[in-house]
Amino acid sequence: MKVAELSARSAVSIPTIKYYVREGLLPAGKQTATNQASYDDDHVRRLRLIRALIDVGDLQISEARAALAAVDDESASLHDAFGAVMHGLDTPAANAPPDDVAAAETEVGQWLEARGWAVTPDAPARRRLAEAVATMHRFGMPVAVTDFDGFADATERTAHLEVGYARSKADRTAAVETMLIGTVVLERARAEIRRLALEAVSAELGDER
Amino acid sequence: MKVAELSARSAVSIPTIKYYVREGLLPAGKQTATNQASYDDDHVRRLRLIRALIDVGDLQISEARAALAAVDDESASLHDAFGAVMHGLDTPAANAPPDDVAAAETEVGQWLEARGWAVTPDAPARRRLAEAVATMHRFGMPVAVTDFDGFADATERTAHLEVGYARSKADRTAAVETMLIGTVVLERARAEIRRLALEAVSAELGDER
C-alpha cells in the first residue's frame, strides 16, 4: 500500500510516519519509484505499537526506539529480549551518581539480592529506583527501599501472570510485543488509578486539616 | 545571590535555569541591574522541585508547569490544590476520543461511581485510564476496568497514608509540594520495581516456553 493508505489505516499522519522512519522506529517502505515506497500489514501493526508506547505509555522517542530494537533482535533468546525491553524503557544514566544516589543504589542492590530477584547489574531500573529513593530523602520523606516489600510481593505475584501470558503467545515477536505493551500500558493504567485514588481520598478528607 | 551561585547551589546549569524561567517553571530573579538578577532560597527550593519532577518523575515541561501552577495558586483550597496537582500531571486530551476509548471512559466513570471515589468529571486521568484499557483491548488483552479492583483497594489504603502525610506539613505550600513530589516520585519508584520484578520473573522462568 502507499503511504496515504498506511496513514488512513493507522490514523497516523504522513509527516509523523516519515518522522518515525527517520527516527528508526518504523522500517522504511519498499522503494517502488524514486519518490514512492510501498508498505504492508507489518507497518500497520508496528505503527499501532509505536502509538501505544508514545501516546499511552508516554515513552520518549529514544526509549521507544530502544524497546522496539529488543522486539526486532531475533538473535536474542526470549528471556534476553524481555530483559532488553525492560532496559530499553529507561534512558540509561549518563553520569556518575551523586553520593546519596550511589548509597541508595547499593541499598537497592542488597534489597534485590535479599529478595532473590535476579536482575542484571546494568539494569537501568536499579539507578532509577535509587534516584527516586534519594529524592524522597532530599525532601525529608522517611522512606527505605525495604518499605516497598509489601508492594514488591504483590508485584511479583502479578508479574508471574504477566510474563506467563506474554510467553503463551504463538510466536516470538508476539511474545516480546505483548511483554512490551503489557509493561508500558499496565504501568500507565496503575499510575492513573493511583492519581484518581489520591484525588478521591483528598476529596473525602475535605478541606479541614 | 547571583545566577552563578544559584547554579552552583542547585547543580543546575545557568542556561537550564534561564530556560526554566522562560518556560514559566521558575520565577524570574529580582532585577538588580540591566543584565543582572538576584535569586534567593525560594529559587533553590523550587529548582530542587523542578529537577525531581523532570529528572526523576519524567514529567514533560508542560506537565511540570501545570503541576507547579497548582502549588503557586494560593487562592485555591488545599483540596482544590491537590486536585489541580493531579490534573496538571496529565496533558489533557485534545480531541474527541475514538469510539472504543469513549466506551472505556464510560466504563471508568461507572467504576469510579461504584467505588465511591469522588473524582471531578474533568480529571484527565479518566481519559488516560480509558486509553490504557482500550489499548489493551486493541492488542487482544482481555482486561476490564473492574479487574483493577484489588489494585485499587490497596492503592486507596496507601493513598490515605500519603494524603495524610502531605496534610500534616506545617504550611500550605509544603503540603502541596509534598503531595506533588510524593505522587510523582512514588509512582516512578513503583514503576521501576515492577520492571525489576518482570525481569526477575522472566529470569526465573528461563528460556523454555
Side-chain angles (χ1 to χ4, degrees):
Chain A
M1 71 189 88
K2 295 181 183 170
V3 68
E5 189 184 340
L6 177 64
S7 171
R9 279 188 53 191
S10 60
V12 177
S13 74
I14 295 176
T16 302
I17 289 173
K18 293 187 171 169
Y19 172 68
Y20 291 154
V21 171
R22 275 201 309 279
E23 289 289 330
L25 272 64
L26 182 72
K30 205 176 128 193
Q31 207 70 24
T32 52
T34 310
N35 204 10
Q36 200 163 315
S38 165
Y39 300 86
D40 60 24
D41 284 344
D42 284 348
H43 288 92
V44 178
R45 172 180 164 148
R46 171 55 62 100
L47 277 174
R48 194 178 58 168
L49 188 58
I50 295 170
R51 295 315 291 240
L53 299 178
I54 291 176
D55 294 350
V56 180
D58 283 349
L59 289 197
Q60 294 171 27
I61 294 285
S62 60
E63 294 165 344
R65 179 169 44 225
L68 289 168
V71 173
D72 293 335
D73 178 9
E74 300 273 350
S75 74
S77 72
L78 196 59
H79 165 59
D80 286 346
F82 278 15
V85 161
M86 292 303 137
H87 296 190
L89 296 177
D90 281 313
T91 305
N95 307 314
D99 288 349
D100 59 343
V101 175
E105 200 168 337
T106 304
E107 207 190 315
V108 166
Q110 289 161 347
W111 182 68
L112 290 173
E113 205 166 324
R115 294 198 64 84
W117 283 9
V119 173
T120 55
D122 61 336
R126 290 170 175 266
R127 170 75 63 85
R128 302 278 341 248
L129 176 56
E131 284 171 348
V133 170
T135 299
M136 287 185 264
H137 291 167
R138 285 178 200 171
F139 284 88
M141 299 178 192
V143 172
V145 181
T146 47
D147 291 338
F148 290 103
D149 270 324
F151 176 79
D153 290 342
T155 304
E156 187 176 341
R157 281 192 295 274
T158 56
H160 271 281
L161 297 175
E162 292 167 38
V163 174
Y165 176 75
R167 285 178 177 235
S168 75
K169 292 286 153 183
D171 66 89
R172 186 194 164 287
T173 303
V176 182
E177 273 186 14
T178 300
M179 194 68 198
L180 171 56
I181 285 295
T183 303
V184 167
V185 177
L186 270 175
E187 209 166 85
R188 174 59 30 211
R190 284 168 197 217
E192 300 300 341
I193 289 171
R194 183 158 168 269
R195 293 174 186 183
L196 292 165
L198 288 166
E199 182 177 342
V201 165
S202 172
E204 190 186 321
L205 294 177
D207 268 321
E208 295 93 308
R209 296 195 58 160
Chain B
M1 73 189 86
K2 294 182 183 170
V3 68
E5 188 185 340
L6 178 64
S7 171
R9 279 189 51 192
S10 61
V12 177
S13 74
I14 295 178
T16 302
I17 289 174
K18 294 187 171 171
Y19 172 67
Y20 291 155
V21 172
R22 276 201 309 279
E23 290 289 330
L25 272 63
L26 182 72
K30 205 175 128 191
Q31 207 71 24
T32 52
T34 310
N35 204 10
Q36 201 164 315
S38 163
Y39 299 86
D40 59 24
D41 284 345
D42 285 348
H43 289 92
V44 178
R45 173 179 163 147
R46 171 56 60 99
L47 277 174
R48 194 179 58 169
L49 188 57
I50 294 170
R51 296 313 292 237
L53 298 178
I54 292 176
D55 293 351
V56 180
D58 282 349
L59 289 196
Q60 295 171 27
I61 293 286
S62 60
E63 293 165 344
R65 178 167 45 223
L68 290 168
V71 173
D72 294 335
D73 179 9
E74 300 272 351
S75 74
S77 72
L78 196 60
H79 165 59
D80 285 346
F82 277 16
V85 161
M86 293 304 137
H87 295 190
L89 297 177
D90 282 314
T91 305
N95 305 314
D99 288 350
D100 59 344
V101 175
E105 200 170 336
T106 304
E107 206 190 318
V108 166
Q110 289 162 347
W111 182 69
L112 291 173
E113 204 166 328
R115 295 197 64 84
W117 283 9
V119 174
T120 55
D122 61 335
R126 291 170 175 264
R127 170 75 62 85
R128 302 276 343 246
L129 176 56
E131 284 170 349
V133 170
T135 299
M136 287 184 264
H137 291 167
R138 285 178 201 169
F139 283 88
M141 300 177 190
V143 172
V145 181
T146 46
D147 292 338
F148 291 102
D149 270 325
F151 176 78
D153 290 342
T155 304
E156 187 177 340
R157 280 192 297 274
T158 56
H160 271 280
L161 298 176
E162 291 166 39
V163 174
Y165 177 75
R167 285 178 177 235
S168 74
K169 291 287 154 184
D171 67 87
R172 186 193 166 286
T173 303
V176 182
E177 274 186 14
T178 300
M179 192 68 198
L180 172 55
I181 284 295
T183 303
V184 167
V185 177
L186 270 175
E187 210 166 82
R188 174 58 32 211
R190 286 168 196 217
E192 300 301 340
I193 289 171
R194 184 159 167 267
R195 292 174 187 182
L196 292 165
L198 289 166
E199 183 177 342
V201 166
S202 173
E204 189 186 320
L205 294 177
D207 268 322
E208 296 93 307
R209 297 197 54 157

